[in-house]
Amino acid sequence: MTDISVVIPCYRSAQTLPTLVERLLAVLSTAASQSEVVLVVDGSVDDTWEVAQELVERRDAVRAVLLARNYGQHNAPVAGIRCASYGIVTMGDDLIAFSWATTKIGTVRVGMQACSPRPR
């Protein structure tokens, strides 16, 4: 097993974030020796930051970064990667299909720097 940081850019994710994080943590507990989920709140205008803070308080393996404004799809992952502690898996964004997140994360190979789902 390897150590994994999952970086998730978040925008308007207050409703979906808790479920995504819980599912990821469940999979990571079996797929990695050590793991963390890094939530990068990209200037979201809803309660995403508050939800992210609650998840950080409840789970040791969750970290959160708040960007001052919406910097977009390229800068948010970079901010999360800079804060990551382990080998990195970046998720395209917080709206990624739960099934991908829960089935593919366990197939990450040692040495892989990033993975992302391919559109069908």
Side-chain angles (χ1 to χ4, degrees):
M1 280 201 263
T2 188
D3 300 338
I4 301 173
S5 295
V6 179
V7 175
I8 307 174
C10 306
Y11 185 77
R12 294 186 180 182
S13 311
Q15 298 291 323
T16 58
L17 208 49
T19 303
L20 175 60
V21 167
E22 292 305 318
R23 289 184 182 187
L24 281 172
L25 290 175
V27 172
L28 288 168
S29 69
T30 62
S33 301
Q34 296 183 75
S35 62
E36 68 180 350
V37 175
V38 180
L39 306 172
V40 182
V41 180
D42 192 12
S44 189
V45 295
D46 66 355
D47 294 333
T48 300
W49 176 243
E50 289 77 12
V51 171
Q53 287 179 304
E54 290 173 13
L55 291 165
V56 168
E57 290 174 14
R58 287 196 333 242
R59 303 299 297 259
D60 291 336
V62 178
R63 300 172 64 196
V65 176
L66 176 63
L67 301 182
R69 64 177 178 83
N70 183 274
Y71 285 93
Q73 65 181 353
H74 301 292
N75 292 310
V78 170
I81 289 168
R82 287 183 155 181
C83 296
S85 302
Y86 310 118
I88 299 162
V89 175
T90 59
M91 306 295 274
D93 59 40
D94 55 311
L95 300 177
I96 194 164
F98 290 137
S99 61
W100 185 89
T102 57
T103 58
K104 299 299 182 191
I105 202 86
T107 64
V108 173
R109 295 184 313 260
V110 174
M112 182 178 281
Q113 295 298 311
C115 64
S116 181
R118 286 183 284 186
R120 292 182 183 197

